[in-house]
Every structure is written in C-alpha cells, then in structure tokens.
Amino acid sequence: MAHSIAVLSAVPRLSYHLRIQLPNLTIFDVLPDKFNTLSKLKSADIVVTDCDLFLPYIDKLPSLKWVQITWAGVDSLVSNMRDKKISYTITRFSDKVFGLAMSEYVIAHIFNFERDQKQQYQNQKASQWIDKGKISNHRLICNLSVGIIGLGNIGKSIAQKLKLFGATVWGVTRTPLKENLDYINEHRTVEYLPEMLTQCDYVINVLPSTQNTFGLLNGNMLQNCKNRSSVLINIGRGTIIAEADLLNALEQQWISGAILDVFEEEPLPKQSKLWLLPQVTISPHIAGVTRAQDVAKLFALNYKKYIKNEKLLNKVDLEKGY
C-alpha cells in the first residue's frame, strides 16, 4: 500500500530530506494556516510534524495512522491528549546524533566553567594577561564526579562521553536498570536522589517533563549539593525545578552555579533574575537542535519497520508521558 505523508513542520527543508530518503513515496508540505491545513492533513495517513503545530489537529484526523514528532520532548502534546481519544501511533525524535549534540554541550560547558572561560573573555577584552584563580588552578573532568538524572538515549550518550574523559559517573532512573552499563560507576533509583546529590560536583538533568518529574528538584532538594558546591546543568525540561527554588539554591550557595538551556517559561522573561547572576549561564534551548537530515533518517528507518508491522522506534507512551 502506498502511503501519503504530510509534513507540517518549521524544520527547514524537512520534506526535501524525507524525499531523498524515501523517493517513491508521496510526501507533501502542509502550511499552518487556518483555511487549508485541516483538509490537507486529512488526505494523509502519516504526518511528520512539530508538537506545537500539530496541537490543533490531534483529535480531528480520524484516518490518521501514525504521527512522527520532530521533537525529543512531547510533554506539550501528551498534556493536551489526556481527555482525547486517538487511534494513531505517535513516535518522537531521538537518535544518536541528538545524544552527541547534547554531550558536546555538556562537556563544553563543564570545560568553560572549570576554567572560568567567562573571565578569560573579559580579560581578553581588557588586554589583560591574568592567570589567577580557576584560569590556571582548575579541575579536569577526570577529577569530577558527575550525576545524570535520566538514562534514556541522551543520558546514556552523555554518560559514555564523560566516562571517556575519566569522570566518575552516577546515574539516576525511575526504575532499576535492566542492563549493566560499564560507563556508570554508581546507579540509584529516584528515591535515592539526595544521596547522589551529595556525591556529585555536577548534576545534569536530562529528564522529560512528566507527572513523575515535575518539581523533582523543588523545595530544599538542592541543599544536598551544599558540601560539594555542585553545578546544576539542565538540558531536560524547566519544570524539574521552580525558578524561585533555583534562585534560592543559588543565593543560599547550595550550588555554585547553573548552566541552563531550559526554563519554566520560554523564552526566559527579561525580568528574570537569572539573567543577572554571574554564576549562571543561559542558552536559548539549543543544547540539541533538530536537524532535518537526522529526522529524515530516523523516519525512513521507522517507515521500513512500519510497513513490516514491526515495533517502531521511540514510540510514545501516553501514560508515562514520553
């Protein structure tokens, strides 16, 4: 059976890359407008789309069989489906390239924080040759204990790369591990999160936003980081900790810094105090950017499984929220 595939996405040149991967299929773009979008989507049995663009149509496409989301996080989609009846399969985008990109982000920021790269930039602007403080007296990654909250594909990729640099790697998951991971030195389930926080110089959140992860670091949880003066790196979702609680942890010096790519509210409001804190690094949700060629390759692989009635990669569990 020939399938018709609609592409409703802001990812540049996505349909072009899909056609390269699957030249014999009918693949067409659908523009997000209020007049023709719905009728065009109804003519497709498979849709490749972004979460935000697909939201208005989640329960309006009775013939739809499969939706491939271009994002890794699908919390906004799942939250809008709780009271809806759907009959199609949903898969999300997550692959090795995504894990590599986010591993690069983590390692680069640990390097920059440990060597006080911000100060080095300021020294250069002032034409000053200064080697004091962390600029010359810094830790190597092999001297660090790093905790990763969430060991999905991305968390595992980060753990592997940190292990190559000699870090002591802790991992926290919701349930016990079903496999032996030789790049994880210590594993704990989430009820033992405080123990991990007491032992790690860096704490990296890679968790999606679900009912089980919402506010996991809220309240005084980060007080467990005080003795290590840990640094929080958040590349999962901003809902893991309320901004007020994060600011309190920084002001109380429970953590010595924060490297933040995700926030409770995005874009981060200009009035947020986080912008003004020198020990905070802010990036605009770009730790892992969706690239058209990567989505197309994953979709092509999944499509081959789809036509053979095999289990699809990254199938979304609406009950778990990811």
Side-chain angles (χ1 to χ4, degrees):
M1 175 183 176
H3 294 105
S4 180
I5 301 170
V7 180
L8 176 63
S9 175
V11 178
R13 294 170 61 82
L14 179 54
S15 58
Y16 167 79
H17 286 281
L18 287 168
R19 292 187 193 101
I20 289 177
Q21 292 289 330
L22 299 165
N24 297 321
L25 296 184
T26 301
I27 299 172
F28 60 95
D29 284 301
V30 179
L31 298 177
D33 62 59
K34 59 184 178 181
F35 299 109
N36 299 316
T37 303
L38 180 58
S39 61
K40 289 182 178 179
L41 289 176
K42 282 184 175 180
S43 67
D45 45 1
I46 301 172
V47 174
V48 182
T49 185
D50 310 340
C51 278
D52 57 342
L53 295 180
F54 187 65
L55 285 178
Y57 312 104
I58 55 178
D59 60 345
K60 295 179 172 62
L61 304 169
S63 301
L64 191 59
K65 300 295 188 295
W66 171 28
V67 174
Q68 172 68 59
I69 299 297
T70 62
W71 299 1
V74 292
D75 43 287
S76 61
L77 188 64
V78 171
S79 63
N80 280 276
M81 285 185 162
R82 299 201 190 282
D83 300 322
K84 304 286 194 310
K85 291 183 179 181
I86 63 166
S87 58
Y88 50 84
T89 298
I90 305 170
T91 55
R92 63 189 182 91
F93 172 66
S94 180
D95 72 347
K96 292 181 179 179
V97 174
F98 218 56
L100 284 172
M102 299 183 92
S103 298
E104 287 185 5
Y105 179 96
V106 166
I107 290 170
H109 279 285
I110 290 176
F111 175 94
N112 287 341
F113 194 91
E114 286 300 310
R115 298 178 183 234
D116 203 358
Q117 200 67 34
K118 282 186 178 180
Q119 186 59 53
Q120 290 193 59
Y121 293 147
Q122 294 302 317
N123 294 344
Q124 180 176 339
K125 287 181 180 179
S127 302
Q128 293 181 319
W129 183 282
I130 298 175
D131 61 0
K132 296 179 181 179
K134 290 199 303 181
I135 293 175
S136 61
N137 184 23
H138 50 257
R139 298 177 295 185
L140 303 179
I141 291 178
C142 64
N143 305 133
L144 301 174
S145 180
V146 183
I148 301 172
I149 309 175
L151 289 176
N153 291 338
I154 295 170
K156 288 177 181 176
S157 179
I158 294 169
Q160 287 173 315
K161 307 310 177 293
L162 286 169
K163 194 62 183 173
L164 287 174
F165 282 91
T168 299
V169 182
W170 287 62
V172 170
T173 56
R174 186 174 57 85
T175 57
L177 289 177
K178 297 180 180 179
E179 55 188 329
N180 179 40
L181 304 177
D182 58 7
Y183 45 85
I184 299 293
N185 296 94
E186 297 284 345
H187 172 262
R188 299 290 186 273
T189 50
V190 73
E191 59 264 35
Y192 298 103
L193 174 62
E195 179 190 355
M196 186 273 276
L197 295 177
T198 65
Q199 297 297 318
C200 292
D201 302 298
Y202 282 79
V203 176
I204 306 168
N205 173 54
V206 197
L207 290 173
S209 181
T210 70
Q211 290 180 326
N212 293 323
T213 66
F214 194 94
L216 187 64
L217 299 180
N218 276 358
N220 296 335
M221 180 61 75
L222 291 182
Q223 190 170 5
N224 293 289
C225 298
K226 185 175 182 179
N227 290 339
R228 300 286 289 227
S229 296
S230 312
V231 178
L232 174 66
I233 300 179
N234 192 2
I235 55 174
R237 282 294 183 267
T239 54
I240 194 79
I241 184 170
E243 184 174 318
D245 292 335
L246 175 57
L247 286 166
N248 183 59
L250 289 161
E251 291 166 358
Q252 297 294 329
Q253 297 183 350
W254 297 341
I255 57 175
S256 60
I259 296 160
L260 308 171
D261 188 55
V262 291
F263 305 88
E264 272 191 298
E265 182 181 349
E266 294 183 7
L268 182 65
K270 290 184 177 181
Q271 62 269 28
S272 171
K273 292 181 180 179
L274 290 170
W275 289 109
L276 304 176
L277 297 179
Q279 71 272 42
V280 173
T281 298
I282 291 170
S283 58
H285 204 144
I286 46 77
V289 177
T290 300
R291 303 191 310 170
Q293 60 267 41
D294 301 326
V295 175
K297 287 179 181 177
L298 177 65
F299 178 79
L301 181 60
N302 249 353
Y303 182 77
K304 292 174 183 177
K305 293 179 176 294
Y306 179 77
I307 60 178
K308 294 178 182 178
N309 290 317
E310 296 177 356
K311 183 180 179 181
L312 298 183
L313 300 171
N314 304 330
K315 184 177 178 181
V316 174
D317 186 324
L318 294 178
E319 294 297 320
K320 293 181 179 179
Y322 58 91

